[in-house]
């Protein structure tokens, strides 16, 4: 008498193998193609949640088609991360000070091509950065404060200046 698999046993093995294959590879592909809903309101949360760094992390947006933004961790470009559609046009970026002085950026080199930078958020090892104001020129102005995880949204730069003076008075009164 010869021992062999029955037709039902073969069908069960094929069904189990197919099910495992579908579960493993559908889960893998959904993680690989994971898309983030990233905007100026939640960019700091996105950065802190998704990237580990020792010395510094920089989000750099360049003047190129689609206004792409790149992540540099400890000075090295993360080539697999490219954030698009964070900006629809080049914003005005200011230092958060009395007169909202213009923030100056240095050029960046990507793939042996030098690009103009129009936005950069440099975060140091203490998870701090310069306080900056971003005027998107489309009815929204954002305040990136180093002491707050949340990015404050305003309608105009005048509201931010008023807020600056209110905070300055509050600090003077506290002392």
């Amino acid at each position: 008498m010869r021992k062999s698999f029955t037709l039902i046993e073969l069908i069960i093995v094929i069904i189990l193998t197919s099910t495992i294959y579908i579960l493993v590879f559908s889960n893998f592909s959904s993680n690989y193609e994971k898309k983030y809903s990233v905007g100026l309101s939640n960019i700091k949360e996105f950065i802190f949640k998704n990237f580990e760094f020792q010395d510094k992390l920089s989000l750099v947006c360049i003047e190129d088609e689609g206004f792409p933004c790149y992540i540099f961790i400890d000075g090295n470009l993360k080539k697999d991360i490219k954030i698009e559609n964070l900006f629809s046009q080049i914003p005005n970026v200011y230092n958060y000070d009395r007169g909202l002085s213009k923030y100056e950026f240095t050029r960046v080199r990507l793939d042996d091509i030098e690009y103009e930078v129009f936005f950069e958020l440099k975060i140091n090892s203490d998870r701090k950065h310069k306080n900056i104001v971003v005027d998107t020129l489309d009815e929204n102005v954002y305040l990136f404060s180093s002491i707050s995880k949340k990015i404050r949204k305003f309608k105009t730069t005048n509201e931010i200046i008023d807020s600056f003076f209110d905070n300055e008075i509050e600090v003077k009164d506290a002392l």
Side-chain angles (χ1 to χ4, degrees):
M1 187 166 164
R2 297 173 74 191
K3 292 193 174 196
S4 63
F5 292 109
T6 64
L7 182 60
I8 293 176
E9 290 172 329
L10 285 174
I11 290 174
I12 291 172
V13 167
I14 290 171
I15 290 173
L16 286 173
T17 305
S18 300
T19 304
I20 291 170
Y21 178 83
I22 289 170
L23 290 175
V24 168
F25 287 105
S26 67
N27 212 4
F28 173 75
S29 65
S30 68
N31 284 341
Y32 181 75
E33 297 174 4
K34 193 171 186 180
K35 297 197 180 205
Y36 300 98
S37 177
V38 180
L40 285 178
S41 299
N42 66 347
I43 191 68
K44 281 175 57 173
E45 178 185 338
F46 169 77
I47 288 171
F48 290 138
K49 185 185 278 186
N50 293 293
F51 302 104
E52 295 290 327
F53 59 97
Q54 296 298 318
D55 186 34
K56 66 181 175 181
L57 181 140
S58 296
L59 172 71
V60 178
C61 302
I62 61 171
E63 292 183 21
D64 198 19
E65 185 178 333
F67 306 118
C69 300
Y70 298 92
I71 301 286
F72 288 84
I73 297 179
D74 298 324
N76 298 316
L77 173 66
K78 289 282 288 176
K79 291 189 181 215
D80 57 333
I81 304 290
K82 181 178 180 182
I83 301 169
E84 294 181 328
N85 303 320
L86 190 60
F87 295 96
S88 59
Q89 59 186 328
I90 295 176
N92 291 329
V93 182
Y94 307 100
N95 290 303
Y96 182 55
D97 56 24
R98 286 178 171 264
L100 292 183
S101 59
K102 189 86 167 146
Y103 194 95
E104 298 295 327
F105 300 102
T106 57
R107 296 173 68 114
V108 68
R109 185 178 274 305
L110 300 171
D111 298 326
D112 295 327
I113 300 172
E114 216 170 83
Y115 292 95
E116 291 290 332
V117 174
F118 66 87
F119 177 77
E120 183 174 21
L121 185 64
K122 291 181 185 178
I123 301 170
N124 66 21
S125 59
D126 295 330
R127 296 185 169 271
K128 302 291 183 204
H129 58 81
K130 282 187 141 187
N131 297 327
I132 58 175
V133 175
V134 179
D135 184 354
T136 60
L137 308 173
D138 65 357
E139 300 181 14
N140 292 317
V141 181
Y142 298 89
L143 172 60
F144 287 75
S145 173
S146 188
I147 59 173
S148 174
K149 289 184 180 181
K150 299 278 185 195
I151 296 168
R152 293 181 57 198
K153 187 175 173 181
F154 295 87
K155 292 288 181 194
T156 66
T157 53
N158 287 336
E159 286 182 31
I160 289 183
I161 292 171
D162 292 343
S163 170
F164 181 86
F165 287 120
D166 291 344
N167 290 340
E168 190 176 55
I169 290 169
E170 189 175 319
V171 168
K172 285 180 182 178
D173 288 345
L175 296 176

